[in-house]
Amino acid sequence: MALASKSIEELLGDEAEDLLTHKCETISKDKLYLPSGSYVDDVWYQSDRNPRVLRNLQALLDHGRLGGTGYTSILPVDQGVEHSGGASFAPNPDYFDPENIIKLAIEGGCNGVASTFGVLGAVARKYAHKIPFIVKINHNELMTYPNTYDQVMFGSIERAYEMGAAAVGATIYFGSEESSRQIQEVARAFERAHELGLATILWCYTRNSAFKVDGEDYHASADLTGQANHLGVTLQADIIKQKQPTNNGGYKALNMGDSSYGKLDEDIYNKLASEHPIDLTRYQVANCYMGRAGLINSGGGSGKNDFAQAVRTAVINKRAGGMGLISGRKAFQRPLEEGVKLLNFIQDVYLDDDITVA
């Protein structure tokens, strides 16, 4: 049974009226390419993507409970690499077994499942034809001592293609010392993926200790993440994965004093965005070539009030003009039934016709 609009309002609590009735006065929704059942025909058919890429994008958008809507709900489970398998799966050891990850994605009604070469390869013959696979091709591993923070390739595009994947995913730490190499590696990988007909999803993260200024963390600022998104689409990512903005003004903070970091225009803050979370996320969508590449936001780590937080994130993404959510730890770090329920709650936001683009 779908989550009723009243239940969504209850989960949003005191923010319900503001989030559900807000009208975006910054960048008009009329200027955006919005998710729809004909999204591939309307947007990607105009591009240089070959028919095999279009087929796989359509397969991803047609699968699961959100199939045919243009919206996506993806289960990502690659935390076993960066966060360690023990730390990630201790709350629910069943997920040390890759098959249970796939089962959660299927029973949860997801459009696709994103994971490692190892996880998806272990069960590819049994499941690659039952749910679209998204192979994460690079990772940051934290076994090196002391820890380093870098995305390195864990396999080849050819290997992902051979296991029957519909898409590949990668991460770039924009702003990091290693970002130039990562940009070149991912650009080559995405070019090869498109040649073979695989869709591409880019995790456009920012990472630099300098992005914390006077106690304020700007890693999730709308201006910095927006530019990361813009670079991601420039690398020909078909879908952009980004953390939802928590503030704005990263460029302005970094330009204080003797620094001349980055380029900015005051209109970014005064006309193209406001302090409202929907407007901040709208700015992220605009940087995805006005929505030509779909924006999916992350669900964040698990914690208190997971169901309310997941619904809130989905409402903001949808009303901003985004394409969906990619939520992992909130779902797999709990019993299967609860994980399915959480994923369904997210999907119900996108299935609710009363929740419209602001």
Side-chain angles (χ1 to χ4, degrees):
M1 180 181 294
L3 189 63
S5 296
K6 182 178 180 181
S7 298
I8 292 174
E9 292 180 16
E10 291 173 351
L11 285 167
L12 293 175
D14 294 339
E15 291 186 287
E17 183 176 358
D18 181 42
L19 292 178
L20 294 173
T21 63
H22 175 74
K23 179 175 174 59
C24 187
E25 302 288 352
T26 54
I27 299 170
S28 171
K29 65 181 179 182
D30 297 332
K31 297 181 181 295
L32 303 178
Y33 297 87
L34 297 172
S36 70
S38 58
Y39 182 79
V40 173
D41 288 335
D42 297 339
V43 177
W44 288 117
Y45 181 75
Q46 306 172 34
S47 75
D48 62 354
R49 306 308 193 259
N50 64 49
R52 298 182 303 281
V53 174
L54 301 183
R55 180 188 62 200
N56 277 319
L57 278 169
Q58 193 68 58
L60 186 66
L61 292 174
D62 281 346
H63 196 82
R65 293 182 72 229
L66 296 182
T69 66
Y71 290 108
T72 57
S73 167
I74 296 171
L75 176 72
V77 187
D78 64 344
Q79 284 84 357
V81 177
E82 179 168 355
H83 302 286
S84 89
S88 300
F89 304 133
N92 191 346
D94 287 348
Y95 291 103
F96 276 112
D97 182 347
E99 186 167 11
N100 288 323
I101 294 172
I102 312 302
K103 286 181 177 178
L104 173 61
I106 292 174
E107 294 190 35
C110 293
N111 296 72
V113 56
S115 197
T116 65
F117 279 98
V119 165
L120 297 177
V123 292
R125 193 175 298 278
K126 185 173 182 179
Y127 288 105
H129 58 295
K130 296 179 180 178
I131 184 171
F133 278 11
I134 303 158
V135 181
K136 190 70 165 36
I137 61 175
N138 67 356
H139 305 279
N140 177 37
E141 58 83 21
L142 294 183
M143 276 290 287
T144 304
Y145 185 85
N147 287 160
T148 59
Y149 297 91
D150 188 12
Q151 292 289 328
V152 296
M153 291 290 174
F154 268 57
S156 68
I157 297 299
E158 285 76 13
R159 186 68 237 143
Y161 171 78
E162 290 295 335
M163 74 167 65
V168 295
T171 298
I172 292 177
Y173 285 156
F174 290 105
S176 71
E177 290 184 5
E178 300 82 10
S179 62
S180 293
R181 192 205 79 248
Q182 294 168 13
I183 288 170
Q184 295 175 61
E185 289 178 349
V186 170
R188 289 193 295 268
F190 279 10
E191 180 180 2
R192 181 58 176 151
H194 282 151
E195 287 176 355
L196 293 176
L198 304 182
T200 56
I201 303 176
L202 188 61
W203 278 240
C204 292
Y205 289 162
T206 64
R207 186 180 288 275
N208 192 310
S209 60
F211 292 170
K212 295 181 180 180
V213 181
D214 296 331
E216 184 79 12
D217 191 347
Y218 292 99
H219 279 92
S221 68
D223 54 352
L224 295 184
T225 56
Q227 179 59 18
N229 290 359
H230 196 80
L231 292 172
V233 189
T234 302
L235 290 171
Q236 292 210 308
D238 303 319
I239 296 173
I240 296 294
K241 192 261 191 177
Q242 184 58 269
K243 297 178 181 178
Q244 216 161 68
T246 56
N247 57 18
N248 206 355
Y251 276 126
K252 296 179 74 172
L254 290 159
N255 266 276
M256 294 176 64
D258 296 329
S259 171
S260 60
Y261 175 79
K263 302 293 182 182
L264 62 89
D265 187 303
E266 287 296 332
D267 283 355
I268 295 173
Y269 312 103
N270 301 327
K271 294 183 179 180
L272 302 182
S274 75
E275 295 182 356
H276 198 282
I278 292 174
D279 293 347
L280 293 175
T281 307
R282 172 68 55 86
Y283 184 71
Q284 286 186 340
V285 174
N287 274 278
C288 294
Y289 289 11
M290 284 297 190
R292 283 181 181 269
L295 172 70
I296 54 176
N297 286 131
S298 55
S302 59
K304 296 181 179 179
N305 304 315
D306 276 351
F307 286 84
Q309 187 61 40
V311 167
R312 179 183 186 274
T313 306
V315 167
I316 292 171
N317 174 271
K318 182 180 182 182
R319 301 214 67 225
M323 181 180 269
L325 245 57
I326 183 164
S327 186
R329 280 170 286 177
K330 280 183 176 12
F332 72 74
Q333 289 186 334
R334 53 184 3 107
L336 176 66
E337 296 78 11
E338 289 185 21
V340 169
K341 182 178 179 182
L342 186 140
L343 292 169
N344 288 170
F345 272 26
I346 290 170
Q347 295 152 9
D348 288 343
V349 170
Y350 295 96
L351 292 170
D352 192 330
D353 293 335
D354 292 331
I355 300 176
T356 57
V357 178

